[in-house]
Amino acid sequence: MRGALVGPRVLLRRLREAMAEPGDAQKRLDRIVILIAANMVAEVCSIYVMRGDVDLELAATEGLNPEAVHLTRLKVGEGLVGQIAAKAESLSLIDAQSHPAYAYRPETGEEIYHSFLGVPILRGGHTLGVLVVQNRARRDYSEEEVEALQTTAMVLAELIAASDVTASGSGLERGARRPNRQLHGIALGGGVGLGHAVLHEPRVIVSNLIAEDVSVELSRLNEAIGNLRAWTDQVLLRGDVARTGEHRDVLEAYRMFAYDRGWANRMREAIGTGLTAEAAVERVQNDNRARMIRQTDPYMRERLHDLDDLSNRLLRVLAGHMATAAGADLPDDAIVIARNMGPAELLDYDAAKLRGLVLEEGGPSSHVAIVARAIGIATVGQISEILDDVETGDAIIVDGDAGEIHLRPAPDVSDAYVDKVRFHAEQQARYRSERDLPATTLDGQDVTLLMNAGLLVDLPHLDEAGAAGIGLYRTELQFMVAAQFPRIEEQRQLYASVIKAANGKPVVFRSLDVGGDKVLPYLRHSHEENPALGWRAIRMALDRPGLFRPQIRALLRAAAGLELRVMFPMITAVEEFDAAKALVEKELAFLATHGHKPPAGIKLGAMIEVPAILWDLEALLERVDFVSIGSNDLLQFLWASDRGNARMAERYDPLSPPILRMFRDIAVRAGAAGTPLTLCGEMAGRPTDAMVLLGLGIRSISMAPPSIGPVKAMLRKLDIGKLQDEVLGDLNNEPVNMRQAVEKFAAGHNIPI
Ligand code: PEP
Ligand code: MG
């Protein structure tokens, strides 16, 4: 190598010796700059270290004026050194002074040096400083020299990270306390959680950097890459997508990178410069992170993010730490941070210790979000790239109502949230004390408050929340968390345990509502342009009796000798209800011929969630035993507005006169037919919306368990007659701002909403 006295491996060994010598960090740094300068045949070697977030300070030098040490400072972005830190990118110049960013510092005496090579000192995605060599002569540093200096910088990063300003007295510090940050994402519910960060996939801290035996390190790396490739093949081929929570395109990207020869070769080359396999992975990962910082194209950034994830996984393979944090010793106030995860992985955690969940991805209808809400933990999604900034043990506040998090919060923010949590707890205690009071309005109208459920973890809420029964049991949730299609006997046992837990209270099982966005990993499903409008729910059930009939059989057997209620999702035409009912009757006949005891009674219902059925409502009402409005879907189809799209979430108001006229119309027609009516969409759980639904004549609503307390508190202070007289009287008038009007009514009558 031109200019270098010895190979990089020898330099690393000498650096290790220098780092192990007694003395404080400053003395070690002083020796290290001499060593690097000699090895690189450079007249100057300098180390700049980050101070706080914005300043770089000259911490040691060989060749520049020693008086400038701890005096010369540059801002990140300022001068050549500042640019290297800002971009986390190496810079090699034949004539530094002609570079537009060159910032002259007279105290250093550097004007006589022309060529310049600087590399960032990176660790765990953070820039800790910059390492520079300079030569008088105008020369071009070779690629090998750049590589060697980068490897050296990595070893230096360890020394800087381990040094402490107070212990060394050297003025070195790892950067000031990392700043607090407020990050916005989307609210996935569960209230507020205060606690400490736990990384779902724990990071490996690489402490052994310098290889004893390069060939051993190479074979360790090769074996780990083989292991990684096998893993990507397996998740894709076995279709474990739902379990890992990752989207298929992310897994495809993982596989592409795992097989990428360029990536593997770069890591092998890094071992060749004297690093251990772990350090080589991290070296290449640092370069990748630097590219990520510079990348402005969102798609490319996303892919670099995938590669970063994969590098973390490779480190975990090398370290033999494959388990997620679920099996580790958790703090009592764990806030789990993940890029994404499957619902089953969340269920692996000890729920008693979970205070919150933060996901880089994760939409409101993602399966893990549904499970998080069921467990009742504060959850926020779409906090992009939080994993680059958070460390295990960081204090963190998750506001699942506002959709934001506070990382390393300032004391006044924490205090405000402690008050908020206390207030919330007091409110919950008040709701609990009202649990056994009747759900009756001031003007004596009885209301049926039911809860929505779908997992066994939901069932204890039935009594805790004081629900009158389960108005919607989403059977597909259990199918979504399973690794394979649940057998009839498994399904029977599950439904029987739900009925048992309900202890005589009614349970409405909804038959499988899969397809669209609710994907079963083990069920082949062809690509659809518009999955929400596609082959889903009852459409799929009727086309595939092989799926539907076992579920019906399991339900009938689970309710032997008891009452069974089943409703069918997405009924678009009455013939679909007839066909589903005929299948139930067929199953009943089958059970009779096989000596099984039938249910004592069967009630079959339909969901009203496709607008077309409203124009054939009487025909439906006379066929069914009950109906339930699925307002989530009904509104998305009425408004042609995707219910999962955050940009659309506040665009249209369910409390607008045309929608209210529709709900009133359904209530009147169901009443005339004598068919029981419930509404089980999300709006039932919002006290203001629920108040209006009662005003329109609906008397049975089903909601997530935490909403029952607030809705009951509202209705016990409500006079429905007054609401109708004062606000809802004539919905046919000019459009009014109905939300404002009902909020004013609530405020004027002391109704808590
Ligand atoms: C609805 O659509 O309102 C409903 C309750 O069903 P889901 O949210 O499961 O689609
Ligand atoms: Mg629906």
Side-chain angles (χ1 to χ4, degrees):
M1 179 166 74
R2 180 158 65 92
L5 274 181
V6 293
R9 281 188 230 159
V10 178
L11 172 61
L12 287 194
R13 215 164 297 140
R14 288 189 184 160
L15 276 178
R16 183 167 56 181
E17 283 157 17
M19 282 162 73
E21 277 175 32
D24 67 21
Q26 181 67 52
K27 290 213 178 77
R28 281 199 288 271
L29 272 194
D30 292 342
R31 274 197 293 275
I32 285 168
V33 284
I34 296 173
L35 207 58
I36 299 172
N39 188 69
M40 302 285 296
V41 197
E43 280 107 20
V44 174
C45 173
S46 309
I47 296 171
Y48 294 82
V49 174
M50 284 296 294
R51 277 201 160 269
D53 254 1
V54 288
D55 282 333
L56 286 149
E57 183 182 293
L58 180 64
T61 186
E62 163 69 5
L64 297 186
N65 182 2
E67 306 278 294
V69 172
H70 300 311
L71 197 73
T72 295
R73 281 194 176 204
L74 291 149
K75 297 253 173 267
V76 170
E78 185 192 7
L80 302 177
V81 168
Q83 294 243 320
I84 293 167
K87 295 184 182 162
E89 190 179 24
S90 306
L91 186 62
S92 170
L93 299 168
I94 297 174
D95 184 8
Q97 288 164 34
S98 61
H99 190 281
Y102 179 76
Y104 177 51
R105 288 286 189 272
E107 71 275 11
T108 60
E110 67 175 332
E111 60 277 11
I112 51 175
Y113 303 106
H114 290 286
S115 46
F116 173 104
L117 169 61
V119 298
I121 303 173
L122 301 168
R123 189 170 191 268
H126 302 286
T127 301
L128 303 188
V130 174
L131 172 64
V132 174
V133 291
Q134 289 172 276
N135 281 81
R136 243 180 247 264
R138 287 182 172 78
R139 54 165 299 212
D140 197 1
Y141 296 97
S142 69
E143 245 176 58
E144 288 85 354
E145 283 171 309
V146 178
E147 277 275 319
L149 201 65
Q150 282 172 337
T151 299
T152 309
M154 197 172 157
V155 176
L156 260 181
E158 285 310 301
L159 178 66
I160 293 172
S163 66
D164 170 80
V165 66
T166 46
S168 68
S170 66
L172 280 182
E173 65 181 311
R174 198 198 151 172
R177 210 183 92 77
R178 284 168 305 127
N180 48 51
R181 294 185 66 187
Q182 182 179 4
L183 300 167
H184 299 275
I186 58 165
L188 298 180
V192 171
L194 275 71
H196 291 90
V198 169
L199 302 189
H200 176 57
E201 297 192 334
R203 252 180 227 139
V204 173
I205 305 291
V206 181
S207 51
N208 185 14
L209 299 171
I210 302 170
E212 294 290 341
D213 183 336
V214 167
S215 59
V216 169
E217 298 303 323
L218 271 177
S219 56
R220 287 183 66 229
L221 178 72
N222 289 339
E223 192 183 321
I225 292 175
N227 186 316
L228 195 68
R229 289 177 178 169
W231 172 75
T232 58
D233 290 345
Q234 189 186 329
V235 283
L236 275 167
L237 294 179
R238 264 210 343 235
D240 258 357
V241 183
R243 180 152 179 108
T244 64
E246 303 295 359
H247 296 301
R248 182 162 279 275
D249 54 351
V250 170
L251 291 172
E252 297 278 8
Y254 283 171
R255 182 153 72 166
M256 183 188 82
F257 286 124
Y259 280 92
D260 183 70
R261 289 228 199 114
W263 184 49
N265 285 339
R266 282 199 301 282
M267 292 187 286
R268 290 187 189 118
E269 280 162 19
I271 291 181
T273 66
L275 295 175
T276 57
E278 288 89 344
V281 175
E282 204 173 74
R283 232 321 292 285
V284 174
Q285 190 177 19
N286 280 339
D287 295 346
N288 174 51
R289 284 192 171 147
R291 274 165 58 205
M292 204 153 84
I293 293 171
R294 295 192 300 272
Q295 186 56 252
T296 49
D297 178 72
Y299 177 81
M300 287 307 293
R301 253 181 102 90
E302 197 50 26
R303 298 288 77 88
L304 289 169
H305 203 58
D306 297 337
L307 180 55
D308 195 54
D309 273 357
L310 202 66
S311 305
N312 284 333
R313 193 170 181 98
L314 186 57
L315 283 175
R316 298 201 298 135
V317 173
L318 279 164
H321 299 324
M322 290 316 295
T324 68
D329 227 2
L330 292 180
D332 286 340
D333 57 358
I335 307 271
V336 176
I337 321 276
R339 180 169 181 186
N340 212 343
M341 69 166 83
E345 286 185 300
L346 181 59
L347 290 170
D348 284 342
Y349 282 87
D350 175 357
K353 292 186 169 178
L354 289 185
R355 292 287 172 279
L357 174 68
V358 182
L359 301 171
E360 287 196 340
E361 297 178 355
S365 55
S366 67
H367 314 153
V368 66
I370 291 169
V371 172
R373 271 198 292 275
I375 306 174
I377 57 169
T379 307
V380 174
Q382 293 177 25
I383 300 281
S384 61
E385 294 169 27
I386 182 178
L387 285 167
D388 297 343
D389 196 13
V390 70
E391 283 180 16
T392 300
D394 275 348
I396 181 164
I397 297 170
V398 182
D399 189 335
D401 301 329
E404 60 189 29
I405 66 160
H406 297 266
L407 186 56
R408 303 177 289 270
D412 54 335
V413 174
S414 295
D415 291 349
Y417 269 98
V418 168
D419 286 348
K420 196 168 168 177
V421 168
R422 193 177 306 130
F423 176 72
H424 199 247
E426 283 166 10
Q427 230 178 7
Q428 290 301 323
R430 208 167 44 245
Y431 295 146
R432 268 196 301 280
S433 73
E434 291 174 358
R435 186 186 65 176
D436 299 322
L437 299 177
T440 307
T441 62
L442 285 182
D443 52 344
Q445 308 262 2
D446 291 330
V447 179
T448 307
L449 297 181
L450 303 161
M451 74 172 220
N452 294 346
L455 290 168
L456 285 175
V457 289
D458 294 327
L459 297 178
H461 297 313
L462 192 56
D463 278 338
E464 283 162 22
I470 297 179
L472 166 65
Y473 191 90
R474 293 179 162 108
T475 59
E476 64 276 4
L477 294 193
Q478 203 63 34
F479 285 67
M480 278 160 34
V481 298
Q484 61 197 23
F485 207 91
R487 295 171 172 279
I488 290 193
E489 180 50 21
E490 268 173 80
Q491 291 190 49
R492 188 198 64 78
Q493 282 177 16
L494 174 76
Y495 304 143
S497 58
V498 176
I499 294 170
K500 185 157 177 256
N503 201 14
K505 290 180 178 175
V507 180
V508 176
F509 290 98
R510 177 174 69 188
S511 68
L512 265 187
D513 187 7
V514 292
D517 60 332
K518 294 177 186 170
V519 184
L520 302 187
Y522 39 83
L523 194 70
R524 288 216 174 280
H525 201 284
S526 52
H527 174 78
E528 294 182 313
E529 281 299 323
N530 286 306
L533 309 180
W535 190 57
R536 52 176 294 200
I538 196 67
R539 303 166 185 178
M540 188 197 274
L542 293 176
D543 290 357
R544 286 280 162 84
L547 289 181
F548 187 52
R549 289 181 58 177
Q551 180 177 43
I552 297 299
R553 194 173 297 175
L555 284 165
L556 290 169
R557 291 196 48 207
L562 302 165
E563 175 155 286
L564 175 68
R565 293 165 202 241
V566 180
M567 69 176 169
F568 306 118
M570 301 280 292
I571 294 289
T572 309
V574 289
E575 293 75 20
E576 289 171 334
F577 178 80
D578 293 341
K581 184 175 177 181
L583 278 172
V584 174
E585 279 162 359
K586 217 164 165 178
E587 279 309 311
L588 205 54
F590 173 88
L591 289 187
T593 56
H594 287 73
H596 291 291
K597 188 172 170 184
I602 302 176
K603 288 200 165 19
L604 298 180
M607 287 194 74
I608 299 178
E609 50 184 352
V610 178
I613 200 66
L614 297 179
W615 281 269
D616 207 10
L617 194 57
E618 274 65 32
L620 182 72
L621 291 170
E622 72 188 30
R623 285 167 155 85
V624 299
D625 297 308
F626 62 94
V627 283
S628 193
I629 302 175
S631 53
N632 303 336
D633 277 317
L634 185 58
L635 293 179
Q636 89 160 337
F637 296 132
L638 274 169
W639 286 326
S641 168
D642 182 351
R643 62 189 264 190
N645 184 333
R647 294 178 73 169
M648 232 42 86
E650 314 243 291
R651 201 172 179 96
Y652 306 106
D653 191 345
L655 297 194
S656 57
I659 301 300
L660 301 188
R661 284 199 288 271
M662 173 191 70
F663 286 138
R664 188 177 59 183
D665 186 50
I666 298 173
V668 168
R669 290 160 79 184
T675 308
L677 166 72
T678 294
L679 184 143
C680 63
E682 298 305 307
M683 64 183 292
R686 295 192 286 263
T688 310
D689 296 12
M691 178 173 79
V692 175
L693 292 172
L694 299 179
L696 299 174
I698 295 174
R699 291 288 176 275
S700 171
I701 46 182
S702 191
M703 63 203 80
S707 297
I708 291 183
V711 168
K712 190 194 262 187
M714 173 278 294
L715 72 87
R716 287 179 51 82
K717 291 272 192 275
L718 169 69
D719 183 322
I720 295 181
K722 273 195 187 147
L723 174 67
Q724 289 169 335
D725 290 347
E726 293 180 27
V727 191
L728 300 175
D730 187 359
L731 288 171
N732 296 322
N733 268 343
E734 293 292 296
V736 290
N737 188 330
M738 192 53 78
R739 187 165 292 279
Q740 253 174 28
V742 294
E743 280 169 357
K744 195 165 152 219
F745 172 84
H749 294 82
N750 277 329
I751 301 170
I753 52 171

